[in-house]
Amino acid sequence: MKNDWWNCHLGWGRGGKHQRKRNRDLPKFGEPIQNVTVPIGREATLSCTIDNLQTYKIAWLRVDTQTILTIQNHVITKNHRMSITHAEKRSWVLKIRDVKESDKGWYMCQINTDPMKNQVGYLDVVVPPDILDYPTSTDMVVREGSNVTLKCAATGSPTPTITWRREGGEPISLAGGKEVTSFNGSVLTIPRVNRLNMGAYLCIASNGIPPTISKRVMLIVHFPPMIWIQNQLVGAALGQSITLDCQSEAFPKSINYWMLNDTIITPGERHEPSTYENTYRVVMRLTIKRVENVDFGSYKCVAKNSLGDTDGAIKLYHSTLYLDLEDAFHEAFFFFPTTKK
């Protein structure tokens, strides 16, 4: 800054008594101003140490705006968060309370010698990460087979890094069939999404300033029902109890029921339909107690949702074999003679 500018603001001329004493040593800085890093909301302290100040004056200035903040023990700026303290007769301490991100920058300690002496120190204000509502993705509903893009935007100082993880630790699917447990980047693209990709994704923002913050984005994948049947041909003897099984997958959740010869089976004394659900998977079971002749025939397990419907067939036939499948399994694989060597 120019000497005239300094004198104009302070109202001092060049002919002061201190300037006529050329034989006296001029003031000098005792040590450099230390750069300071402070979290937002805390107090920042910048210290300027001067030896042999004599009758000269010291001021603190904001470099980028050329604003005078303090002169000697007086606060000039209208910023009520700033104060000045004269410590140990040689240190002039500028304090800034409740530091804001806008306080970041260079600060100058200046002595009105001719020529002027000054030194600067930097105030860095660090800000913990914060995830923006926009353009960060919200919960998404997509059709199976479509491409999905999840976005996460965060502010903070230093600039936060973005990491994606799945809440349950499942792998993240990327292009080319690659799978990773975490992905670094603000934009996550999942090509040809499938039901295995469904679930909660965590956008995690961190910059070394606690706390680390995350946002949960739910990815919901819609697909029509599909049915798998392990045993499509089941034999039963009269009077025996038997259970028919089929498995379906669908989302939104499907409506599931059983039919015999195109007639819907309702729960009764001898017929007991049941379902066991796990997210989009459903195990459908039909237990028939004390099988009668009327129970033999073609059964269908049916699954329907808003995207479609499907069914699978199981034929129940009359069998004279009284060993059930479990007994047959044990007899074939567990009850075998020991061979002596």
Side-chain angles (χ1 to χ4, degrees):
M1 298 181 183
K2 295 181 180 180
N3 197 32
D4 291 342
W5 177 87
W6 166 265
N7 290 331
C8 176
H9 280 275
L10 298 184
W12 299 338
R14 298 175 182 269
K17 182 179 179 181
H18 59 278
Q19 291 190 2
R20 292 194 298 268
K21 296 181 179 180
R22 302 296 183 181
N23 59 339
R24 181 177 296 184
D25 291 337
L26 292 175
K28 61 181 179 179
F29 293 107
E31 57 189 52
I33 298 176
Q34 298 297 315
N35 295 334
V36 177
T37 299
V38 178
I40 192 170
R42 300 289 183 85
E43 181 178 82
T45 300
L46 293 164
S47 181
C48 180
T49 301
I50 301 173
D51 293 323
N52 194 30
L53 183 61
Q54 306 170 58
T55 58
Y56 291 94
K57 305 298 182 184
I58 176 178
W60 276 101
L61 303 91
R62 179 74 185 261
V63 174
D64 56 354
T65 60
Q66 294 191 346
T67 303
I68 298 177
L69 305 176
T70 68
I71 300 173
Q72 293 294 93
N73 292 318
H74 303 286
V75 177
I76 305 301
T77 178
K78 294 181 180 180
N79 188 339
H80 67 278
R81 295 182 295 109
M82 294 191 178
S83 62
I84 186 72
T85 303
H86 188 197
E88 299 177 357
K89 298 183 179 180
R90 58 194 293 264
S91 294
W92 300 84
V93 181
L94 176 68
K95 293 184 178 181
I96 308 174
R97 300 187 308 275
D98 188 22
V99 166
K100 303 183 183 301
E101 195 170 4
S102 58
D103 295 324
K104 180 189 299 186
W106 291 99
Y107 289 78
M108 177 183 291
C109 174
Q110 195 171 69
I111 310 171
N112 68 328
T113 54
D114 188 9
M116 290 185 186
K117 291 186 175 183
N118 63 68
Q119 62 177 359
V120 296
Y122 189 80
L123 171 60
D124 189 16
V125 180
V126 293
V127 183
D130 184 30
I131 295 177
L132 302 175
D133 290 334
Y134 180 84
T136 299
S137 299
T138 56
D139 293 348
M140 300 180 67
V141 178
V142 298
R143 286 291 298 266
E144 192 170 47
S146 59
N147 296 328
V148 171
T149 299
L150 301 179
K151 297 179 180 180
C152 184
T155 60
S157 182
T159 301
T161 58
I162 303 296
T163 302
W164 289 94
R165 297 182 186 274
R166 294 189 66 177
E167 190 174 57
E170 303 92 338
I172 297 174
S173 299
L174 302 178
K178 185 179 180 181
E179 291 187 338
V180 295
T181 55
S182 65
F183 175 81
N184 293 327
S186 58
V187 179
L188 171 62
T189 299
I190 305 173
R192 297 188 58 80
V193 70
N194 63 61
R195 62 200 69 182
L196 297 177
N197 305 134
M198 181 159 55
Y201 289 73
L202 298 177
C203 156
I204 305 168
S206 61
N207 64 353
I209 311 301
T212 295
I213 193 170
S214 65
K215 180 178 180 179
R216 186 175 186 266
V217 180
M218 192 71 186
L219 177 60
I220 300 171
V221 180
H222 280 187
F223 55 94
M226 300 178 67
I227 282 181
W228 290 267
I229 297 175
Q230 185 173 1
N231 298 311
Q232 292 183 301
L233 193 61
V234 177
L238 291 172
Q240 180 186 354
S241 292
I242 195 76
T243 298
L244 308 180
D245 286 334
C246 77
Q247 301 178 37
S248 71
E249 293 184 359
F251 207 87
K253 290 183 179 181
S254 56
I255 299 172
N256 304 289
Y257 56 90
W258 288 88
M259 299 182 71
L260 172 61
N261 300 326
D262 298 326
T263 302
I264 295 177
I265 297 174
T266 56
E269 182 180 347
R270 292 193 311 107
H271 296 90
E272 187 179 304
S274 58
T275 57
Y276 303 89
E277 298 182 2
N278 181 14
T279 61
Y280 57 83
R281 295 185 177 94
V282 176
V283 176
M284 301 171 58
R285 287 181 177 163
L286 176 63
T287 299
I288 306 170
K289 302 176 182 178
R290 301 184 304 279
V291 170
E292 300 176 358
N293 282 319
V294 294
D295 296 319
F296 298 120
S298 179
Y299 288 80
K300 284 184 179 180
C301 52
V302 182
K304 292 184 177 182
N305 71 4
S306 58
L307 303 178
D309 61 80
T310 189
D311 61 66
I314 301 177
K315 184 176 181 181
L316 180 64
Y317 67 93
H318 184 202
S319 172
T320 57
L321 181 63
Y322 286 92
L323 285 174
D324 61 23
L325 292 177
E326 184 176 356
D327 290 340
F329 178 81
H330 281 280
E331 184 146 328
F333 292 98
F334 290 95
F335 296 100
F336 51 85
T338 303
T339 302
K340 294 183 179 180
K341 296 185 178 179

